[in-house]
């Protein structure tokens, strides 16, 4: 096991992402933040604490994963409790791997007619992508290795509590990168950008 992203680096990156979201959603009267359980819990909570607009927290619990491979099956364990119709929604998850889970959740939420949906994910493994998912607020791009910590389970369902992200396998290339900051994406018409 080796450290891939330190606790300090995660917190610093969450600060930056929160600043982008505060900027993009400036002036909004309510943001519905939907945290995907269990993996998105640490990232979602840390992000929420830094947001300056009124936020309502809600949760979706799905299971989509067995061992180190995605199963390709998503089951809904617990749905959101809030009416999201015509509301701006920020969906927050730990990691986008093949993209299957996030794509499934976004389609599921579309049926509830939200006003706007943006996606935040702490980690992205683009080399594994099979389903096209756009991440609006991404923490880190990581190599194709199984990771744990900061909300993500290790193989025996422990390790989620550690405050840093660790790799449980080695790869030839273990580089972690931060995507370049993109232009502001304001959600309200007429808002200065
Ligand atoms: P996807 O459907 O994109 O293939 O997989 C998404 C879900 O699988 C993530 O939300 C996460 O819960 C789990 N997952 C994917 N990669 C990893 C990993 O490296 N470590 C852990 N603990 N979970 C992962
Ligand atoms: Mg997850």
């Amino acid at each position: 096991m080796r450290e891939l992203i330190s606790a300090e680096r995660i917190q610093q990156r969450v600060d930056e992402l929160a600043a982008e979201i505060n900027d993009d959603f400036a002036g909004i009267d309510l943001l519905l933040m939907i945290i995907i359980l269990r993996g998105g819990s640490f990232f979602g909570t840390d992000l929420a604490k830094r947001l300056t607009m009124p936020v309502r927290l809600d949760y979706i619990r799905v299971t989509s994963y067995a061992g180190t491979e995605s199963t390709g099956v998503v089951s809904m364990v617990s749905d959101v409790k809030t009416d999201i119709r015509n509301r701006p929604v920020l969906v927050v998850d730990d990691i986008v791997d093949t993209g299957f889970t996030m794509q499934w959740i976004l389609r599921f939420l579309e049926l509830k007619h939200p006003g706007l949906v943006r996606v935040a994910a702490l980690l992205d493994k683009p080399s594994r992508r099979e389903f096209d998912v756009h991440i609006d607020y991404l923490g880190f791009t990581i190599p194709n290795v199984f990771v744990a910590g900061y909300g993500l389970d290790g193989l025996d369902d422990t390790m989620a509590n550690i405050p840093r992200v660790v790799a449980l396998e080695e790869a030839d290339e273990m580089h972690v990168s931060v995507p370049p900051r993109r232009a502001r994406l304001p959600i309200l018409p007429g808002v200065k950008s």
Side-chain angles (χ1 to χ4, degrees):
M1 159 172 130
R2 76 137 105 171
E3 180 175 283
L4 207 58
I5 314 172
S6 70
E8 295 70 31
R9 200 172 170 204
I10 293 171
Q11 294 302 317
Q12 187 192 6
R13 187 67 189 128
V14 176
D15 281 343
E16 291 167 1
L17 292 175
E20 287 184 27
I21 294 166
N22 284 331
D23 221 17
D24 289 350
F25 287 81
I28 199 176
D29 60 350
L30 181 66
L31 174 64
L32 299 184
M33 202 168 154
I34 300 182
I35 299 175
I36 311 303
L37 299 177
R38 290 179 296 179
S41 65
F42 281 41
F43 177 47
T45 305
D46 277 350
L47 201 54
K49 286 188 266 185
R50 292 158 164 91
L51 298 184
T52 50
M53 72 290 282
V55 172
R56 185 177 296 152
L57 290 174
D58 207 337
Y59 304 87
I60 283 182
R61 182 159 180 179
V62 293
T63 51
S64 61
Y65 212 74
T68 57
E69 293 297 323
S70 291
T71 58
V73 177
V74 177
S75 18
M76 173 67 53
V77 179
S78 176
D79 193 358
V80 286
K81 305 292 182 249
T82 316
D83 183 9
I84 68 170
R85 180 175 286 267
N86 296 330
R87 295 279 192 187
V89 168
L90 179 66
V91 180
V92 183
D93 205 357
D94 50 359
I95 182 166
V96 179
D97 186 28
T98 64
F100 184 77
T101 310
M102 185 57 82
Q103 195 196 51
W104 190 94
I105 288 171
L106 294 176
R107 284 191 183 166
F108 177 84
L109 290 175
E110 279 307 324
L111 301 174
K112 300 174 188 283
H113 307 288
L116 165 120
V117 178
R118 294 259 170 98
V119 173
L122 179 73
L123 306 172
D124 183 20
K125 277 187 204 169
S127 60
R128 293 257 306 157
R129 193 73 89 259
E130 290 175 36
F131 301 87
D132 191 29
V133 169
H134 179 71
I135 306 171
D136 300 289
Y137 307 100
L138 171 65
F140 303 93
T141 299
I142 63 166
N144 182 16
V145 287
F146 193 72
V147 295
Y150 196 65
L152 290 100
D153 278 326
L155 292 180
D156 54 359
D157 274 3
T158 63
M159 300 175 69
N161 64 306
I162 64 176
R164 58 194 178 280
V165 171
V166 296
L168 300 185
E169 22 177 53
E170 287 288 326
D172 293 343
E173 193 274 302
M174 292 291 273
H175 185 64
V176 173
S177 62
V178 170
R181 183 163 187 173
R182 45 128 187 80
R184 190 172 169 234
L185 270 180
I187 65 147
L188 297 174
V191 173
K192 170 170 83 65
S193 57

